[in-house]
Amino acid sequence: MADRRRVNGPVGATIPPVFEDEEVQTQETQRVTRSRAPNGIRKMYLKTGVTPSASGSAYLEIETSGKDGVSGLKLSCTVHGPRSLPRSSPFSPHIILSTHVKFAPFATKQRRGYLRDPSERDLGTHLEAALRGAIIADRWPKSGVDIIISIIEGDQDRETSGAQGDDTWDMMNALSGCITVASAALADAGIDCVDTVAGGVAALVKDGGETGTARIVIDPISSEHESIEAACCIAYLPTRDEITNLWFKGDMPDHDMGIYSELVQQGIQASKLANRVLVESLGETVK
Amino acid sequence: MEAPTLSFSRPLFAKLSPHPYLLRNLSPASPADSPCRTNGRAPHEARPVHIHTGSLSHAHGSALVRTGDTTVICGVRGEALPVTSIPQYRPKTVFDADNSGTGIGRGELKDYDLLVPNIELATGCAPQFLPGVPPTALAQTLSTRVYSLLLAARVVDPANLRIWYTPPKEGGDAMDADEEDEEESTKPQLMAYWVLYIDLLFISFDGNPFDAAWTAVMAALRNIKLPQARWDPDRETVVCSRANAAPLNIRGLPLACSAAVFLEKEHAEGGEGRHWMLLDPDRLEESLCREVVTVVVDCSSGETRLRSIEKQGGTVVGRELVRGFAGVAEGRWKEVSKAMG
């Protein structure tokens, strides 16, 4: 499908680099296990005001786990608004939020195209739900605000094969980063919110092969564990103690519903830690 | 009763009547003051440029370029294109040793689309670039300009992009081939090419996108490290090895320098009134100027070589001004190449 407005590559399909088998196997035996505490998140760097021409903007970077080939997360968010809605749209007594999340073509292991695919639209919908609960919408009737997130680098291990299904868990990490950075950009734009919302991920992981026990960790990286059974991404308002968005995925033993609420609690913990970083960086902006 | 006097703050004045505002700054009342632009720079002064390379881990080469408030990130990824996927492929039996004169090398880059640059502006980098719409005329123009300059300046040597295969001799091992022919062994065959996808993303936009984009492309190409590739005859595909990632052999360092022409009379005909050439224009200046000149020079070999002159939008800039501007471009080349390291 040739896009006439872009420079298209060759007509034939190109193959992404496939690496020698021996190398992949040695990488697997050298797998780095998680060195952080089960309730510790990775270091985050958050800065606002990177795009002066936008109403508000923020940039988030989460550190890599130190292993060669495992990238961290790099997100850039711009907020445009509140701006007036086009004349054709009907009257709305509250602000209309429109979110747009896009992976850069060089962000992930597989090169992505320029058109949004369903997973990116899904992230946008989750993000909108998370932020809608935090914005005071009634203050801005007949207005719209655009939140645009570009994911410059996704959280993905280059060597782990796609068959492990890491994509889903990386989407969760990306979503929690998106929520945090969008919240910072909204604050930078001066849009009234009841509270700062931050995202956190908690997962049920299994290490140690068949006999291993499952445990709950926060801020998981799929390459650090043998398998991730289930994960949950939470958008949480700390002062009001409210969850604005909850996304849960995976397999869980059905005999123990306690694990589910434990996962949610850990997700809230992760959110609170991310929120601390968020508030600190916003405090620096104000100064 | 006296009428109250109105006085505007500077940013308000800039928003309400930008043209007189810039004009007043460039032609100050007292001759002692030097002309300066609204952003405080002299007309021939460009913004300092900051370049960071190698920050992306999923790209084979990357660069982040910041010129004032314009920030662009470039990622280059290589993917393999087997010759069997090229429609109407005709193997070339003779390859120029250094690809200098006859342009056979350039033919490969152009015919098989081995370089794919694309510029994405719709990232919210400025209020007029919101996503959800197909690429605007500006984005398409920029992508095309980068593409044609890449081919015209011949910075990429197609010899680096070829992936060879030497069929083994009877009883011998398959070797990684190089281009020399040996009489006893079978000739190496060209089985695949590397295709370089050069993607540019604008994080922030404050005028002069072409210069920033071209600098990012050059920095990323110099930073790229392609894995060593060989053709695997059993799997009939290209297999790579992480062991010796090699950089590309980039020829020269052409760098771009742009200026906008600001006219004293907004709708002047035939060059009446004064004009100023503003080097490295920002968003406000670009919106007030119709005529833009871009010159690409390469001083890496010691002498200055002119790679490209582009001008559009007006008739003020003639031969003399372009000649003078090429001198300014030389100075800018030194600044930017120093930042590139």
Side-chain angles (χ1 to χ4, degrees):
Chain A
M1 193 175 60
D3 186 351
R4 278 182 306 123
R5 292 179 222 248
R6 292 185 214 272
V7 176
N8 292 303
V11 176
T14 53
I15 314 166
V18 173
F19 288 91
E20 311 261 17
D21 281 333
E22 308 86 59
E23 286 184 9
V24 176
Q25 276 168 12
T26 48
Q27 303 283 7
E28 272 184 22
T29 51
Q30 288 166 14
R31 178 199 301 272
V32 171
T33 46
R34 186 187 170 108
S35 54
R36 292 171 279 141
N39 54 358
I41 61 171
R42 288 174 287 173
K43 281 210 204 85
M44 245 194 267
Y45 167 76
L46 185 59
K47 182 170 182 247
T48 55
V50 288
T51 307
S53 51
S55 315
S57 60
Y59 176 74
L60 173 76
E61 211 174 285
I62 300 187
E63 67 160 6
T64 71
S65 68
K67 177 175 161 217
D68 210 19
V70 183
S71 73
L73 200 59
K74 290 189 177 84
L75 305 170
S76 155
C77 175
T78 55
V79 168
H80 294 270
R83 40 166 61 191
S84 50
L85 291 174
R87 282 175 159 249
S88 54
S89 51
F91 171 80
S92 89
H94 46 255
I95 199 169
I96 302 224
L97 199 60
S98 87
T99 56
H100 184 105
V101 179
K102 184 78 191 72
F103 278 87
F106 40 74
T108 50
K109 205 167 52 172
Q110 288 278 67
R111 184 171 182 270
R112 290 191 184 236
Y114 280 99
L115 297 171
R116 270 195 304 171
D117 62 11
S119 60
E120 288 160 349
R121 284 184 209 267
D122 195 23
L123 279 183
T125 316
H126 279 289
L127 179 64
E128 196 204 317
L131 297 174
R132 223 184 311 131
I135 296 182
I136 303 178
D138 309 326
R139 293 234 178 116
W140 303 97
K142 302 190 290 184
S143 325
V145 65
D146 289 299
I147 298 173
I148 303 142
I149 297 197
S150 308
I151 302 184
I152 297 167
E153 195 163 303
D155 220 356
Q156 259 199 359
D157 186 356
R158 221 166 32 182
E159 284 106 35
T160 319
S161 63
Q164 260 188 335
D166 298 320
D167 217 29
T168 343
W169 318 125
D170 296 324
M171 284 289 174
M172 290 220 165
N173 279 330
L175 177 62
S176 81
C178 286
I179 295 170
T180 313
V181 74
S183 182
L186 279 176
D188 189 39
I191 294 181
D192 308 84
C193 298
V194 294
D195 199 356
T196 52
V197 54
V201 183
L204 186 70
V205 300
K206 205 170 207 160
D207 282 310
E210 289 296 318
T211 54
T213 47
R215 60 191 177 115
I216 297 180
V217 297
I218 63 173
D219 199 13
I221 306 177
S222 45
S223 67
E224 285 183 341
H225 306 279
E226 265 190 40
S227 74
I228 298 185
E229 307 281 304
C232 151
C233 177
I234 305 255
Y236 179 71
L237 302 173
T239 333
R240 291 168 67 110
D241 195 27
E242 284 173 3
I243 292 181
T244 51
N245 190 47
L246 187 148
W247 183 20
F248 191 96
K249 237 180 174 173
D251 290 321
M252 255 194 6
D254 57 355
H255 56 83
D256 191 355
M257 282 314 290
I259 296 186
Y260 174 77
S261 41
E262 182 57 34
L263 264 178
V264 173
Q265 276 305 315
Q266 288 300 319
I268 292 178
Q269 268 306 109
S271 256
K272 282 189 187 159
L273 291 172
N275 198 61
R276 251 195 270 156
V277 180
L278 177 60
V279 166
E280 212 181 287
S281 86
L282 286 179
E284 276 171 25
T285 314
V286 167
K287 275 186 232 141
Chain B
M1 199 151 82
E2 285 174 26
T5 49
L6 277 177
S7 68
F8 292 138
S9 64
R10 292 179 127 236
L12 194 56
F13 201 86
K15 270 221 157 129
L16 287 177
S17 53
H19 192 274
Y21 184 57
L22 185 53
L23 185 59
R24 279 296 175 81
N25 274 292
L26 284 172
S27 53
S30 72
D33 294 335
S34 53
C36 94
R37 297 142 80 172
T38 50
N39 44 40
R41 293 185 271 149
H44 55 267
E45 196 183 322
R47 294 172 283 195
V49 63
H50 301 279
I51 305 175
H52 296 277
T53 54
S55 44
L56 298 177
S57 41
H58 290 294
H60 294 123
S62 64
L64 173 79
V65 170
R66 221 171 314 175
T67 326
D69 281 334
T70 301
T71 308
V72 60
I73 185 159
C74 174
V76 183
R77 292 188 68 143
E79 293 199 349
L81 174 72
V83 295
T84 47
S85 307
I86 301 177
Q88 294 169 341
Y89 172 70
R90 264 185 296 279
K92 297 180 173 38
T93 46
V94 175
F95 289 100
D96 243 352
D98 58 357
N99 281 303
S100 54
T102 60
I104 290 179
R106 188 182 351 173
E108 278 169 296
L109 289 179
K110 193 164 171 3
D111 292 338
Y112 307 143
D113 291 318
L114 298 183
L115 299 175
V116 192
N118 268 300
I119 295 191
E120 181 64 272
L121 278 175
T123 58
C125 50
Q128 66 260 39
F129 299 122
L130 291 183
V133 288
T136 54
L138 177 61
Q140 293 179 55
T141 320
L142 285 175
S143 298
T144 312
R145 284 171 73 187
V146 169
Y147 179 63
S148 42
L149 187 55
L150 263 177
L151 291 181
R154 290 161 59 197
V155 284
V156 179
D157 186 356
N160 297 131
L161 301 180
R162 298 185 194 127
I163 300 174
W164 297 92
Y165 172 64
T166 306
K169 297 187 280 198
E170 309 301 296
D173 296 328
M175 311 181 285
D176 278 351
D178 46 16
E179 285 177 50
E180 299 147 275
D181 282 336
E182 294 165 50
E183 261 125 62
E184 270 98 49
S185 72
T186 44
K187 267 176 143 184
Q189 295 165 8
L190 183 55
M191 299 306 294
Y193 282 100
W194 277 111
V195 173
L196 297 181
Y197 287 97
I198 304 168
D199 298 300
L200 289 123
L201 208 74
F202 270 83
I203 298 179
S204 168
F205 183 89
D206 192 24
N208 204 4
F210 182 72
D211 284 6
W214 180 253
T215 309
V217 170
M218 285 311 301
L221 284 177
R222 277 151 63 101
N223 173 251
I224 190 175
K225 279 199 159 52
L226 284 180
Q228 208 175 50
R230 64 176 182 84
W231 178 261
D232 187 336
D234 304 316
R235 277 186 279 187
E236 290 200 355
T237 185
V238 175
V239 172
C240 304
S241 151
R242 256 183 251 280
N244 308 321
L248 284 185
N249 182 20
I250 302 292
R251 293 187 280 228
L253 181 58
L255 291 171
C257 179
S258 303
V261 177
F262 180 69
L263 300 170
E264 183 182 8
K265 298 208 174 91
E266 253 183 295
H267 306 288
E269 296 290 339
E272 48 182 54
R274 290 176 292 170
H275 63 266
W276 290 267
M277 278 187 69
L278 307 175
L279 184 62
D280 196 13
D282 66 12
R283 214 156 52 105
L284 170 70
E285 290 160 359
E286 267 189 353
S287 66
L288 297 171
C289 305
R290 280 197 317 239
E291 190 173 349
V292 179
V293 180
T294 303
V295 165
V296 178
V297 292
D298 186 355
C299 308
S300 56
S301 60
E303 54 159 340
T304 306
R305 305 191 81 99
L306 208 56
R307 289 284 177 209
S308 152
I309 303 176
E310 282 172 33
K311 113 180 172 65
Q312 63 240 28
T315 53
V316 170
V317 176
R319 277 180 293 184
E320 284 308 317
L321 276 177
V322 169
R323 207 170 300 176
F325 189 56
V328 174
E330 260 183 29
R332 183 73 174 144
W333 188 94
K334 292 193 179 68
E335 271 178 47
V336 181
S337 73
K338 201 163 84 163
M340 235 188 240

